[in-house]
Amino acid sequence: MAPSPQVGAASTLPSSLNAFRPVTESPETMYAPARDGNFAIAGVDAAGMNPDHVRQVVDYPTREAPGTIVVDQTSRYLYFVLPRGKAIRYAVGVGPIARAFPGGEAEIARKAAWPRWIPTPSMIERSPGQYARYADGVDGGPGNPMGARALYMHQNGVDTYYRVHGTNDPSSIGRSVSAGCIRLLNQDIIDLHDRVQPGAKMVVL
């Protein structure tokens, strides 16, 4: 969604079991209102959620190594690969596939908390009424469309302008939305952000 002004140095992939900790909280606990630094995160009514959209561990046989992120744009799920044929599944909102990253492998070059958002020139050109007023950028916070966290994807060392990020619009999860990036509930992107390290592999299907 937004240009990345700087790229963090790659680090080792997750070596701590903390990255692969189980999902043990109840949905009511996972999606409760919370404070994150100086900002408040609105709660999500877990009782009203589609059960398939709740963060959960699922069977996921794959050749990808633990710590890899796999995004299935068609089914609108993101998988964080765990050991022993399991993965954590997160429901996502996905932009029109024709505008999205075309697929294949990439690398998480850096990650950010409460990221600043700047619409790309192509977004402004395509929808000036929607994006031109934000040309100078929007500071991080609850009103920022990138939400509480962002993961920045590079391919062959080049920024793809494709992001995995939070959202302040829970109703968009599971739908075809946004300008082509992958969005998660703020509670889910915080969980994923804590597990993923710069240098992690990402596969987009």
Side-chain angles (χ1 to χ4, degrees), residues 64-134:
E64 300 296 344
T68 302
I69 295 172
V70 180
V71 176
D72 187 330
Q73 297 187 96
T74 302
S75 66
R76 302 189 184 111
Y77 287 119
L78 180 152
Y79 299 89
F80 179 76
V81 179
L82 300 174
R84 295 181 289 279
K86 301 287 185 179
I88 300 174
R89 189 181 72 187
Y90 306 83
V92 301
V94 190
I97 292 178
R99 296 182 193 161
F101 177 75
E105 297 180 6
E107 178 182 285
I108 301 300
R110 73 179 186 101
K111 58 183 190 175
W114 296 104
R116 180 175 173 80
W117 173 66
I118 305 173
T120 63
S122 63
M123 291 170 66
I124 296 173
E125 181 179 359
R126 187 170 62 243
S127 303
Q130 183 176 1
Y131 296 116
R133 55 185 166 167
Y134 302 123

Side-chain angles (χ1 to χ4, degrees), residues 1-197:
M1 286 184 68
S4 172
Q6 53 184 298
V7 178
S11 65
T12 57
L13 296 180
S15 59
S16 169
L17 292 178
N18 185 56
F20 307 125
R21 65 190 183 277
V23 176
T24 57
E25 307 95 330
S26 68
E28 291 76 15
T29 300
M30 285 193 290
Y31 298 109
R35 292 290 305 181
D36 185 69
N38 295 324
F39 301 115
I41 297 176
V44 179
D45 178 14
M49 289 177 65
N50 180 334
D52 289 336
H53 290 177
V54 173
R55 183 194 325 154
Q56 56 194 282
V57 175
V58 298
D59 292 328
Y60 194 71
T62 178
R63 294 182 179 179
E64 300 296 344
T68 302
I69 295 172
V70 180
V71 176
D72 187 330
Q73 297 187 96
T74 302
S75 66
R76 302 189 184 111
Y77 287 119
L78 180 152
Y79 299 89
F80 179 76
V81 179
L82 300 174
R84 295 181 289 279
K86 301 287 185 179
I88 300 174
R89 189 181 72 187
Y90 306 83
V92 301
V94 190
I97 292 178
R99 296 182 193 161
F101 177 75
E105 297 180 6
E107 178 182 285
I108 301 300
R110 73 179 186 101
K111 58 183 190 175
W114 296 104
R116 180 175 173 80
W117 173 66
I118 305 173
T120 63
S122 63
M123 291 170 66
I124 296 173
E125 181 179 359
R126 187 170 62 243
S127 303
Q130 183 176 1
Y131 296 116
R133 55 185 166 167
Y134 302 123
D136 292 333
V138 179
D139 289 338
N144 186 310
M146 292 190 77
R149 302 286 189 274
L151 306 177
Y152 295 78
M153 288 175 58
H154 285 206
Q155 190 175 49
N156 300 319
V158 178
D159 192 352
T160 64
Y161 300 120
Y162 193 77
R163 313 289 185 241
V164 179
H165 62 85
T167 181
N168 49 25
D169 180 12
S171 67
S172 66
I173 299 303
R175 297 171 55 197
S176 178
V177 292
S178 86
C181 290
I182 298 291
R183 61 171 68 176
L184 291 77
L185 293 171
N186 276 326
Q187 290 86 347
D188 284 344
I189 191 62
I190 289 173
D191 182 84
L192 179 63
H193 176 277
D194 289 347
R195 296 175 188 274
V196 173
Q197 296 300 319

